[in-house]
Amino acid sequence: MRSIWNGSVSFGLVSIPVKLMNATENHAISFRQIHVEDGGRIRYRKVCELDEEEVPASETVKAYEDADGTVIPVTDEDLASLPLPTAKTIEIEGFVPSSAIDPLQLDSAYYLSANGVPAAKPYALLREALRRSGKVAVAKYALRGRERLGMLRVSGDVIAMHGLLWPDEIRAPEGVAPETGVKVRDAELDLADALMNTLGDADMDTLHDDYREAVEDLVAAKAAGEPVAEEEAEEPEGKVIDLMAALESSVRAAKESHGEDGGEVADVHHIGSGRGGGAKKTAAKKTTAKKTAARKTTARKSSEKPPAKKSAAKKQAARKTTAKKGTEKKPAAKKTAGGTRKRTSA
């Protein structure tokens, strides 16, 4: 890596020679501006407003414009003469827990490298002291003509430094939060937790810039004279009108995308939004299948009713036979010795 700054870290009376290197790089595709008619490149030139002539860089200096419009030139020599102890030194001011640094303050990221063999031992000392304490160092340093605030922390086997915005550079979030009070129900929070658990952890190593890849494909196709594939953006089917239904649909869709059985969550109202829409269609198909199966079962039971009628007929015939037998028994009577008939009691 190429160093962008050489200096030292001041750790009390210990001075650690270091080199500063960018820890990040920009992969965004850069474009040029050209003249549409002839393809000529458009360039920006520095022109003086008074004589409308182009001015070379050697004839330009910095200037400060006062509130009343007065312009005060400030040269590089003027700035170099200022008493700035952090011009070549990263001055450690103190140590704080990493949680004390608001992520809103984080700016550029750098690696600090030990500059030379003698710097290896004090560099390792500071690195291990930071690691064991679990804290980060807050420091001041100067870069590109201004003093900045920084945070030193351990990253693997190296010391990383994050540029920090000054506290007064962080805006207060006035008027950002919802103006009216919003009450979130426990059931909604439970569904939100379920959705978070289903989506799982984000694999940071697999994330990439889809837009940059699409632009690269576009440029390659145009360079080869091939037709550019056009993809229509999906239009949302409607507005989300039920937060609970949206959460339930999201949980179901997330489970299906992870190969899990979505199961029956609850009745889902039509919300017409992306992933939830697919889950609703699946639930609707299941409901339709259940209704169809119920109708088939009813039809089958209906077709089995005639045997029930036969059974009733058999019972009725049995009752008639019993009655007939009872009628045949009544005329029978025993003869007494006197020749008279005596009706027997039932």
Side-chain angles (χ1 to χ4, degrees):
M1 295 184 185
R2 185 176 63 88
S3 63
I4 61 172
W5 181 91
N6 290 349
S8 62
V9 175
S10 176
F11 179 31
L13 296 178
V14 178
S15 181
I16 310 170
V18 295
K19 294 187 291 185
L20 191 68
M21 291 163 283
N22 284 318
T24 62
E25 55 187 3
N26 188 359
H27 289 167
I29 296 176
S30 59
F31 292 100
R32 306 289 188 188
Q33 287 190 331
I34 62 170
H35 189 195
V36 134
E37 293 185 1
D38 54 20
R41 185 173 170 184
I42 305 298
R43 296 181 181 273
Y44 293 97
R45 304 180 187 276
K46 296 180 179 179
V47 177
C48 177
E49 291 182 349
L50 298 179
D51 55 20
E52 296 184 354
E53 292 184 1
E54 185 178 351
V55 180
S58 59
E59 297 181 12
T60 62
V61 295
K62 298 181 180 70
Y64 176 80
E65 185 174 356
D66 207 348
D68 60 358
T70 303
V71 177
I72 305 171
V74 179
T75 65
D76 292 338
E77 290 75 15
D78 294 333
L79 295 174
S81 64
L82 293 175
L84 188 61
T86 56
K88 284 292 182 179
T89 304
I90 300 173
E91 293 275 357
I92 294 180
E93 301 290 327
F95 301 87
V96 297
S98 58
S99 59
I101 304 296
D102 191 333
L104 287 173
Q105 287 186 256
L106 295 178
D107 200 3
S108 304
Y110 308 95
Y111 288 135
L112 291 178
S113 172
N115 192 3
V117 176
K121 182 64 177 289
Y123 181 95
L125 173 65
L126 176 59
R127 180 191 64 198
E128 296 308 314
L130 288 172
R131 194 195 304 275
R132 189 167 72 171
S133 69
K135 294 183 178 182
V136 298
V138 177
K140 289 182 180 180
Y141 67 102
L143 186 65
R144 300 188 180 96
R146 55 169 292 197
E147 189 173 55
R148 302 167 187 263
L149 192 63
M151 176 187 74
L152 278 64
R153 68 178 182 89
V154 178
S155 177
D157 291 332
V158 301
I159 298 176
M161 184 173 74
H162 296 267
L164 299 178
L165 299 174
W166 296 97
D168 60 359
E169 293 180 317
I170 304 298
R171 292 180 175 178
E174 297 177 357
V176 177
E179 295 182 1
T180 57
V182 178
K183 184 177 181 180
V184 180
R185 294 180 295 169
D186 289 340
E188 294 168 338
L189 281 174
D190 292 340
L191 279 173
D193 290 340
L195 178 57
M196 292 171 65
N197 293 332
T198 304
L199 291 175
D201 299 332
D203 188 353
M204 302 299 291
D205 293 332
T206 62
L207 301 179
H208 59 279
D209 189 347
D210 293 325
Y211 179 76
R212 177 172 60 87
E213 292 180 357
V215 172
E216 290 174 348
D217 294 341
L218 169 68
V219 173
K222 292 179 75 70
E226 299 174 354
V228 179
E230 295 183 2
E231 295 184 6
E232 295 183 0
E234 295 183 2
E235 293 291 337
E237 298 178 5
K239 294 182 178 179
V240 176
I241 58 175
D242 189 334
L243 180 58
M244 288 290 289
L247 288 170
E248 290 165 356
S249 298
S250 299
V251 171
R252 187 182 293 107
K255 286 184 176 180
E256 291 177 355
S257 67
H258 285 72
E260 302 177 15
D261 183 10
E264 294 294 331
V265 180
D267 293 334
V268 181
H269 304 290
H270 176 67
I271 59 174
S273 63
R275 298 169 68 181
K280 283 188 301 180
K281 291 179 181 177
T282 303
K285 288 181 180 179
K286 290 181 179 179
T287 305
T288 304
K290 287 182 179 179
K291 289 182 178 179
T292 304
R295 283 197 291 268
K296 288 182 179 179
T297 303
T298 304
R300 187 166 60 250
K301 289 181 179 180
S302 299
S303 63
E304 294 174 355
K305 284 183 179 179
K309 290 182 179 179
K310 290 180 180 179
S311 178
K314 286 182 179 180
K315 290 180 180 179
Q316 187 174 359
R319 283 196 294 269
K320 287 182 179 179
T321 304
T322 304
K324 186 176 180 181
K325 287 180 180 180
T327 306
E328 290 175 353
K329 288 180 179 179
K330 285 181 181 179
K334 292 182 180 180
K335 292 183 180 181
T336 61
T340 59
R341 295 191 178 191
K342 186 177 181 181
R343 184 174 296 177
T344 61
S345 58

Coordinates of all heavy atoms in Angstrom, one line a residue, residues 183-213:
K183 N -47.9 4.4 18.9 CA -47.8 3.3 19.8 C -47.7 2.0 19.1 O -48.5 1.7 18.2 CB -49.1 3.3 20.7 CG -49.1 2.2 21.8 CD -50.3 2.3 22.7 CE -50.3 1.3 23.8 NZ -51.5 1.3 24.6
V184 N -46.7 1.2 19.5 CA -46.4 -0.1 18.9 C -46.9 -1.2 19.8 O -46.5 -1.2 21.0 CB -44.9 -0.3 18.5 CG1 -44.7 -1.7 17.9 CG2 -44.4 0.8 17.6
R185 N -47.8 -2.1 19.3 CA -48.3 -3.1 20.2 C -47.3 -4.3 20.3 O -46.4 -4.5 19.5 CB -49.6 -3.7 19.5 CG -50.7 -2.7 19.5 CD -52.0 -3.3 18.9 NE -51.7 -3.6 17.4 CZ -52.5 -4.3 16.7 NH1 -53.6 -4.8 17.2 NH2 -52.3 -4.6 15.4
D186 N -47.5 -5.0 21.4 CA -46.6 -6.2 21.7 C -46.7 -7.2 20.6 O -45.7 -7.8 20.2 CB -46.9 -6.8 23.1 CG -46.6 -5.9 24.2 OD1 -45.7 -5.0 24.0 OD2 -47.1 -6.1 25.3
A187 N -47.9 -7.4 20.1 CA -48.1 -8.4 19.0 C -47.3 -8.0 17.8 O -46.7 -8.9 17.1 CB -49.5 -8.6 18.7
E188 N -47.2 -6.7 17.5 CA -46.5 -6.3 16.3 C -45.0 -6.4 16.6 O -44.2 -6.8 15.7 CB -46.8 -4.8 16.0 CG -48.2 -4.6 15.6 CD -48.7 -3.1 15.6 OE1 -48.0 -2.3 16.3 OE2 -49.6 -2.8 14.9
L189 N -44.5 -6.2 17.8 CA -43.1 -6.4 18.1 C -42.7 -7.9 18.1 O -41.6 -8.2 17.6 CB -42.8 -5.8 19.5 CG -42.7 -4.3 19.7 CD1 -42.5 -3.9 21.1 CD2 -41.4 -3.9 18.9
D190 N -43.6 -8.7 18.5 CA -43.4 -10.2 18.4 C -43.2 -10.6 17.0 O -42.3 -11.4 16.7 CB -44.5 -11.0 19.1 CG -44.6 -10.7 20.6 OD1 -43.5 -10.3 21.2 OD2 -45.6 -11.0 21.2
L191 N -44.0 -10.1 16.1 CA -43.9 -10.5 14.7 C -42.6 -9.9 14.1 O -42.0 -10.5 13.2 CB -45.1 -10.0 13.9 CG -46.4 -10.9 14.0 CD1 -47.6 -10.2 13.3 CD2 -46.1 -12.2 13.3
A192 N -42.3 -8.7 14.5 CA -41.0 -8.1 14.0 C -39.8 -8.9 14.5 O -38.9 -9.1 13.7 CB -40.9 -6.6 14.5
D193 N -39.9 -9.4 15.7 CA -38.8 -10.2 16.2 C -38.7 -11.5 15.4 O -37.7 -12.0 15.1 CB -39.0 -10.5 17.7 CG -38.8 -9.3 18.6 OD1 -38.1 -8.4 18.1 OD2 -39.3 -9.3 19.7
A194 N -39.9 -12.1 15.1 CA -40.0 -13.4 14.4 C -39.4 -13.1 13.0 O -38.7 -14.0 12.5 CB -41.4 -13.9 14.3
L195 N -39.7 -12.0 12.4 CA -39.1 -11.7 11.1 C -37.6 -11.6 11.1 O -36.9 -12.1 10.2 CB -39.8 -10.4 10.5 CG -39.3 -9.9 9.1 CD1 -39.5 -11.0 8.1 CD2 -40.0 -8.7 8.7
M196 N -37.1 -10.9 12.1 CA -35.7 -10.7 12.3 C -35.0 -12.0 12.5 O -33.9 -12.3 11.9 CB -35.4 -9.8 13.5 CG -35.8 -8.3 13.2 SD -35.7 -7.3 14.7 CE -33.9 -7.3 15.0
N197 N -35.6 -12.9 13.3 CA -35.0 -14.2 13.5 C -35.0 -15.1 12.3 O -34.1 -15.9 12.0 CB -35.7 -14.9 14.7 CG -35.5 -14.3 16.0 OD1 -34.5 -13.6 16.2 ND2 -36.5 -14.4 16.9
T198 N -36.1 -15.0 11.5 CA -36.2 -15.7 10.3 C -35.2 -15.3 9.2 O -34.5 -16.1 8.5 CB -37.6 -15.7 9.7 OG1 -38.5 -16.1 10.7 CG2 -37.8 -16.6 8.5
L199 N -35.0 -14.0 9.1 CA -34.1 -13.4 8.1 C -32.6 -13.8 8.5 O -31.8 -14.0 7.7 CB -34.2 -11.9 8.0 CG -35.5 -11.4 7.3 CD1 -35.6 -9.9 7.4 CD2 -35.6 -11.9 5.9
G200 N -32.4 -13.9 9.8 CA -31.1 -14.4 10.3 C -30.0 -13.3 10.2 O -30.3 -12.1 10.0
D201 N -28.8 -13.8 10.3 CA -27.6 -12.8 10.3 C -27.3 -12.5 8.9 O -27.4 -13.3 8.0 CB -26.4 -13.5 11.0 CG -26.6 -13.8 12.4 OD1 -27.5 -13.1 13.1 OD2 -26.0 -14.8 13.0
A202 N -26.8 -11.3 8.7 CA -26.3 -10.8 7.4 C -24.9 -11.3 7.1 O -24.0 -11.1 8.0 CB -26.4 -9.3 7.3
D203 N -24.7 -11.9 6.0 CA -23.3 -12.4 5.6 C -22.7 -11.2 4.9 O -22.9 -11.1 3.7 CB -23.4 -13.7 4.8 CG -22.0 -14.3 4.6 OD1 -21.0 -13.6 4.9 OD2 -21.9 -15.4 4.0
M204 N -21.9 -10.4 5.6 CA -21.3 -9.2 5.0 C -20.4 -9.6 3.8 O -20.2 -8.8 2.9 CB -20.5 -8.5 6.1 CG -21.4 -8.0 7.3 SD -22.7 -7.0 6.8 CE -21.8 -5.5 6.3
D205 N -19.7 -10.7 3.8 CA -18.8 -11.1 2.8 C -19.5 -11.4 1.4 O -18.9 -11.3 0.4 CB -18.0 -12.3 3.2 CG -17.0 -12.0 4.3 OD1 -16.6 -10.8 4.5 OD2 -16.7 -12.9 5.1
T206 N -20.8 -11.7 1.5 CA -21.5 -12.0 0.2 C -22.2 -10.8 -0.4 O -22.7 -10.9 -1.5 CB -22.6 -13.1 0.5 OG1 -23.5 -12.6 1.4 CG2 -21.9 -14.3 1.1
L207 N -22.2 -9.7 0.3 CA -22.9 -8.5 -0.2 C -22.0 -7.8 -1.3 O -20.8 -7.7 -1.1 CB -23.2 -7.5 0.9 CG -24.0 -8.0 2.1 CD1 -24.2 -7.0 3.1 CD2 -25.4 -8.5 1.5
H208 N -22.6 -7.4 -2.4 CA -21.9 -6.7 -3.4 C -22.8 -5.7 -4.1 O -24.0 -5.6 -3.9 CB -21.4 -7.7 -4.5 CG -22.5 -8.5 -5.1 ND1 -23.0 -9.6 -4.5 CD2 -23.1 -8.4 -6.3 CE1 -24.0 -10.1 -5.3 NE2 -24.1 -9.4 -6.3
D209 N -22.1 -4.9 -4.9 CA -22.8 -3.7 -5.6 C -23.5 -4.2 -6.9 O -22.8 -4.4 -7.9 CB -21.8 -2.6 -5.9 CG -22.5 -1.3 -6.3 OD1 -23.6 -1.4 -6.7 OD2 -21.8 -0.3 -6.4
D210 N -24.8 -4.5 -6.9 CA -25.5 -5.0 -8.1 C -25.5 -3.9 -9.1 O -25.5 -4.2 -10.3 CB -26.9 -5.4 -7.7 CG -26.9 -6.7 -6.8 OD1 -26.0 -7.5 -7.0 OD2 -27.8 -6.8 -5.9
Y211 N -25.7 -2.6 -8.7 CA -25.8 -1.5 -9.7 C -24.5 -1.4 -10.4 O -24.5 -1.2 -11.7 CB -26.1 -0.2 -8.9 CG -26.3 1.0 -9.8 CD1 -27.4 1.1 -10.6 CD2 -25.2 1.9 -9.9 CE1 -27.5 2.2 -11.5 CE2 -25.4 3.0 -10.8 CZ -26.5 3.1 -11.6 OH -26.6 4.2 -12.4
R212 N -23.4 -1.5 -9.8 CA -22.1 -1.3 -10.5 C -21.9 -2.4 -11.5 O -21.4 -2.2 -12.6 CB -20.9 -1.4 -9.4 CG -19.5 -1.3 -10.1 CD -18.4 -1.2 -9.0 NE -18.4 -2.3 -8.1 CZ -17.7 -3.4 -8.3 NH1 -17.1 -3.6 -9.5 NH2 -17.7 -4.4 -7.4
E213 N -22.3 -3.7 -11.1 CA -22.2 -4.8 -12.1 C -23.1 -4.6 -13.3 O -22.7 -4.9 -14.4 CB -22.6 -6.1 -11.4 CG -21.6 -6.5 -10.3 CD -21.9 -7.8 -9.7 OE1 -23.0 -8.4 -10.0 OE2 -21.2 -8.3 -8.8

